Amino acid sequence: ITKYVIFYTVEKETFKKEVSASLLKAVINGLRQSTTYSFRVQAATVKGAGPLSSFKNVTTKGKDKTPFLHNKW
């Protein structure tokens, strides 16, 4: 695995963040307070992308509560 691609959706708009496979966590900045996001993760190798994970819904809390995902997909 060379990288992970994190897809996150809110109000029918999808964003993505790519992170190196060597990282143990990923921080998604700029999320809105008290908002539910749907996340999916996809691993990629030099041969291409693998299947998408199932959805994981996360609801943000207050201003300083940026959620993060641990590399345990």
Side-chain angles (χ1 to χ4, degrees):
I1 296 174
T2 57
K3 68 179 178 180
Y4 292 100
V5 183
I6 302 167
F7 296 92
Y8 54 105
T9 303
V10 62
E11 297 176 5
K12 299 182 182 179
E13 189 171 4
T14 299
F15 305 90
K16 76 175 184 176
K17 178 173 183 157
E18 295 185 8
V19 295
S20 170
S22 64
L23 296 178
L24 299 177
K25 65 180 178 180
V27 176
I28 309 295
N29 292 310
L31 302 180
R32 293 182 288 214
Q33 296 180 157
S34 303
T35 303
T36 299
Y37 292 83
S38 296
F39 287 86
R40 293 179 93 177
V41 178
Q42 184 177 47
T45 69
V46 293
K47 293 186 177 185
L52 284 163
S53 69
S54 57
F55 284 100
K56 172 75 175 179
N57 292 324
V58 177
T59 301
T60 57
K61 303 288 184 201
K63 193 180 253 185
D64 298 320
K65 303 287 186 179
T66 303
F68 62 91
L69 301 174
H70 287 282
N71 186 355
K72 294 181 182 178
W73 8 92

